[in-house]
């Protein structure tokens, strides 16, 4: 298994500091957040890690320059997450799994990637999307999972995925399970991304390509990981990440 970490985004929600430091390199204790994400991928079994950066984020290249399992590719224009992922397509062969970890999403309290790899192995190599429960009043901020067969789910459960609904209203939400920063996808995703048209915000969205793949009956599971996603892409989220990381990991 190889991993892919998109870290080329503009970081506009965290300006002005992101004009000099990529948000992915903000410290969590003594280490950059991105290093914790790289470690998650390695301990989940990733043998090679591709980090997608932009020209303004050379600090990332410099920091990881001594690491033989890390490759850097560039996204020259910030056309969205799906477009960033596509820039790494040459590293992944047919039938391989692509473990995608968002560079600004720390998952505290578990190794979500490792658990997802186990779910995939137990389900014939299906693609797996990590998710977590969110309060109903916040479903409109996320991609929300629609289960193929509804049942009461808890942390640590996996379920067959029927669809993902982007930012639904409370009334229209098919569940309270939000897509949460970790994806283990069949490399077929690159075929879908290659002709993916721009969606919400004029950006090429990874979710749109996943939805088309699900509609084509590629097997997909959702997995509710036993931890919490902390979005370090904005000041409040970053502060919460620091507090919860210290509380959970003691450092
Ligand atoms: P976000 O949407 O949270 O990042 O993408 P952003 O675009 O930097 O956010 P703002 O709105 O400007 O603050 C989630 C992850 O995908 C990467 C980001 O670096 C982040 O780690 N990303 C996003 C890319 O690599 N390229 C893109 O074009 C967009």
């Amino acid at each position: 298994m190889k991993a892919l970490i998109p870290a080329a985004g503009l970081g506009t929600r965290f300006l002005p500091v992101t004009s000099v430091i990529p948000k992915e390199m903000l410290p969590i204790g003594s280490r950059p957040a991105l290093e914790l994400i790289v470690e998650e991928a390695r301990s989940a079994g990733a043998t090679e890690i591709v980090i997608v950066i932009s020209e303004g984020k050379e600090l990332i290249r410099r920091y990881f320059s001594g690491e033989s399992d890390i490759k850097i590719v560039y996204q020259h224009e910030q056309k969205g997450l799906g477009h960033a992922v596509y820039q790494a397509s040459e590293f992944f062969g047919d039938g391989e799994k692509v473990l995608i970890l968002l560079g600004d999403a720390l998952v505290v309290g578990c190794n979500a990637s490792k658990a997802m790899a186990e779910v995939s192995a137990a389900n014939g190599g299906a693609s797996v999307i990590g998710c977590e429960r969110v309060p109903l009043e916040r479903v409109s901020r996320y991609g929300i999972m629609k289960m193929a067969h509804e049942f009461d789910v808890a942390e640590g459960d996996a379920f067959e995925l029927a669809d993902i609904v982007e930012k639904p209203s409370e009334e229209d939400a098919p569940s309270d399970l939000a897509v949460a920063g970790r994806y283990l996808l069949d490399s077929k995703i690159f075929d879908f991304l290659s002709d993916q048209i721009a969606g919400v915000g004029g950006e090429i969205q990874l979710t749109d390509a996943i939805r088309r793949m699900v509609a084509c009956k590629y097997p997909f599971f959702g997995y509710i990981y036993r931890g919490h996603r902390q979005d370090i892409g904005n000041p409040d989220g970053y502060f919460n990440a620091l507090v919860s990381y210290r509380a959970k990991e003691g450092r």
Side-chain angles (χ1 to χ4, degrees):
M1 180 175 72
K2 294 177 193 156
L4 194 173
I5 306 179
L10 294 171
T12 48
R13 288 169 298 146
F14 215 147
L15 283 168
V17 71
T18 43
S19 64
V20 289
I21 302 172
K23 58 184 169 178
E24 296 84 0
M25 294 302 280
L26 291 170
I28 303 289
S30 61
R31 294 185 300 164
L34 188 52
E35 189 173 350
L36 303 179
I37 295 172
V38 162
E39 274 185 11
E40 177 185 329
R42 281 182 181 142
S43 58
T47 50
E48 195 172 295
I49 299 165
V50 187
I51 305 178
V52 185
I53 66 168
S54 60
E55 275 76 11
K57 290 181 151 183
E58 292 297 331
L59 185 63
I60 295 177
R61 177 195 272 279
R62 284 211 302 281
Y63 189 83
F64 292 104
S65 61
E67 314 279 333
S68 58
D69 59 343
I70 294 186
K71 307 280 180 287
I72 301 285
V73 298
Y74 285 84
Q75 182 193 27
H76 299 293
E77 269 182 277
Q78 278 49 65
K79 293 186 183 172
L81 175 59
H83 182 258
V85 167
Y86 188 65
Q87 306 313 303
S89 59
E90 68 189 86
F91 288 92
F92 298 87
D94 281 352
E96 252 186 297
K97 282 279 171 303
V98 190
L99 170 64
I100 301 173
L101 306 92
L102 297 193
D104 63 355
L106 270 188
V107 179
V108 181
C110 70
N111 185 328
S113 299
K114 188 164 187 226
M116 287 163 58
E118 287 163 7
V119 169
S120 175
N123 289 284
S127 297
V128 180
I129 299 182
C131 60
E132 74 170 337
R133 282 223 138 91
V134 293
L136 267 181
E137 59 271 19
R138 280 174 33 205
V139 288
S140 61
R141 300 185 198 176
Y142 301 100
I144 299 295
M145 317 283 263
K146 181 172 162 51
M147 298 162 74
H149 317 285
E150 284 198 23
F151 65 104
D152 279 340
V153 283
E155 282 189 7
D157 283 342
F159 56 88
E160 263 180 76
L161 184 70
D163 198 4
I164 300 173
V165 182
E166 262 307 330
K167 302 186 168 59
S169 65
E170 249 179 77
E171 297 72 41
D172 295 338
S175 73
D176 60 353
L177 299 167
V179 174
R182 298 292 182 270
Y183 310 77
L184 181 62
L185 305 177
D186 188 278
S187 59
K188 196 81 194 160
I189 190 67
F190 294 116
D191 289 352
F192 286 86
L193 284 171
S194 68
D195 59 3
Q196 184 59 50
I197 55 168
V200 175
E203 295 194 339
I204 297 173
Q205 301 284 355
L206 179 61
T207 306
D208 291 343
I210 291 174
R211 292 189 67 196
R212 285 167 57 218
M213 205 168 150
V214 173
C216 289
K217 303 292 177 211
Y218 285 89
F220 268 82
F221 280 73
Y223 171 71
I224 311 171
Y225 52 63
R226 299 175 190 274
H228 288 294
R229 173 214 176 130
Q230 303 288 345
D231 177 4
I232 59 159
N234 64 79
D236 279 350
Y238 174 60
F239 181 77
N240 290 337
L242 287 175
V243 172
S244 88
Y245 190 76
R246 191 177 178 94
K248 284 262 170 22
E249 315 281 330
R251 53 190 162 138

